[in-house]
Amino acid sequence: MQLIETVAGVKEQVAAWKAAGLTIGLVPTMGSLHEGHESLMDAARAACDKVVVSVFVNPLQFGPDEDYDNYPRDIERDGAICEAHGVDVVFHPTPEEMYGPNYNTYVVMETLTDALCGASRPGHFRGVCTVVNKLFNIAQPDKAFFGQKDAQQLAIIKRMVADLNMNLQVVGCPIVREEDGLAKSSRNTYLSAEERQAALVLSRAIFAGEQAVRAGERNAAALKRHMGDIIAAEPLARVDYIEVVDGATMQPVETLGSSVLTAMAVYIGSTRLIDNFIYEEGE
């Protein structure tokens, strides 16, 4: 496995692979890797000849009061995990390598970025779309792998790829959870023991919402109330949002239809966690 820190270095390696007729899978990450990331690596390894994992804490997607400076970074640990999962290249650039002097080009999407995390984190998806676009241009993947936990991000990236006629396939992979149900997240490491226990309220609300839908609930407001009541019972929890939206447009719906995303963001103490489930008509 190679650890490459420059754009030119990755491009050179990718060009050699392309010349040999090899397919490339890309797993974009911000490091602090866990089993969710590992599942993406394994999917890429199974589907492609070569696998590139980017490990880059992207400053553009953090707001001024968010956790950029404190976001966990351990490239030696992350590199060892990547190597254990058959990754061929870890791309680990500095912010200066990704955004050179006088950098002034950004990718901005409308509508899909207005709701959910986009509403509560202004500018976040401008940073996500910009860095992912750059990673696609650098690594030239045939397939790129993203987790369903970040469902809005996945929908936005799929829309960007379609709108800009990019020559790659975006592959969404299922949420990976702890044994007790908590969705895997790098931010779980911020939680104290008490907060870690309190955080289980997210998956309890998600599972209860799924069960209500399976039992026939189709009214979005009633579904949100049911899940919100579960969150409200946990003293350490503070709701950022609970929303039921169209899976393609990310716009709110009143009645569950053909493809609907139910998503939440909840603060446990000062740590913001997300979770979701998708309902497809006919399930």
Side-chain angles (χ1 to χ4, degrees):
M1 188 191 77
Q2 300 179 71
L3 176 67
I4 301 178
E5 297 180 334
T6 66
V7 170
V10 174
K11 285 188 169 185
E12 181 181 2
Q13 179 59 83
V14 165
W17 287 338
K18 294 280 188 180
L22 301 175
T23 58
I24 299 169
L26 174 67
V27 181
T29 84
M30 293 205 301
S32 189
L33 303 178
H34 51 67
E35 288 90 339
H37 298 111
E38 292 172 25
S39 73
L40 303 182
M41 296 177 210
D42 292 343
R45 179 76 279 159
C48 303
D49 297 319
K50 297 293 182 180
V51 177
V52 177
V53 172
S54 61
V55 176
F56 176 60
V57 184
N58 177 32
L60 292 190
Q61 66 194 70
F62 288 80
D65 298 321
E66 294 184 340
D67 56 346
Y68 174 72
D69 289 335
N70 295 323
Y71 198 86
R73 297 164 171 86
D74 188 344
I75 189 58
E76 289 188 8
R77 174 186 173 276
D78 290 343
I81 291 172
C82 289
E83 188 163 25
H85 286 267
V87 171
D88 298 285
V89 164
V90 172
F91 177 41
H92 181 53
T94 62
E96 293 75 21
E97 178 69 12
M98 288 294 279
Y99 305 111
N102 303 314
Y103 188 87
N104 199 36
T105 303
Y106 305 92
V107 179
V108 178
M109 183 178 293
E110 299 178 349
T111 307
L112 270 73
T113 61
D114 295 342
L116 307 181
C117 289
S120 59
R121 301 180 70 188
H124 170 69
F125 286 116
R126 182 184 83 147
V128 170
C129 288
T130 299
V131 75
V132 170
N133 199 312
K134 286 174 69 68
L135 290 169
F136 287 171
N137 286 326
I138 293 164
Q140 295 288 304
D142 297 278
K143 297 182 179 183
F145 298 81
F146 295 85
Q148 184 62 53
K149 182 176 71 72
D150 297 291
Q152 184 179 18
Q153 173 180 275
L154 177 59
I156 285 168
I157 290 167
K158 285 184 174 180
R159 172 51 50 194
M160 179 180 74
V161 166
D163 286 353
L164 299 183
N165 308 110
M166 295 181 175
N167 294 322
L168 73 141
Q169 178 187 358
V170 176
V171 181
C173 298
I175 296 173
V176 176
R177 298 184 180 276
E178 304 279 1
E179 288 186 9
D180 57 11
L182 183 65
K184 296 275 188 178
S185 171
S186 300
R187 289 187 169 92
N188 291 350
T189 60
Y190 297 165
L191 301 170
S192 68
E194 182 184 12
E195 290 169 341
R196 173 63 181 76
Q197 190 63 32
L200 294 178
V201 74
L202 276 84
S203 54
R204 282 203 301 273
I206 288 293
F207 298 156
E210 285 185 294
Q211 185 175 12
V213 172
R214 285 197 298 271
E217 180 63 76
R218 295 294 180 269
N219 182 278
L223 181 61
K224 289 162 58 176
R225 280 196 303 272
H226 178 49
M227 297 171 67
D229 288 346
I230 294 172
I231 300 293
E234 171 50 62
L236 294 182
R238 176 171 61 87
V239 172
D240 181 357
Y241 67 77
I242 301 172
E243 295 292 347
V244 182
V245 300
D246 181 277
T249 67
M250 297 292 119
Q251 297 307 296
V253 299
E254 294 182 358
T255 303
L256 275 71
S258 59
S259 179
V260 173
L261 167 69
T262 301
M264 63 169 59
V266 176
Y267 286 92
I268 303 296
S270 61
T271 302
R272 184 178 182 275
L273 302 176
I274 60 175
D275 206 341
N276 68 80
F277 72 89
I278 293 174
Y279 164 72
E280 301 283 353
E281 200 167 49
E283 286 186 346

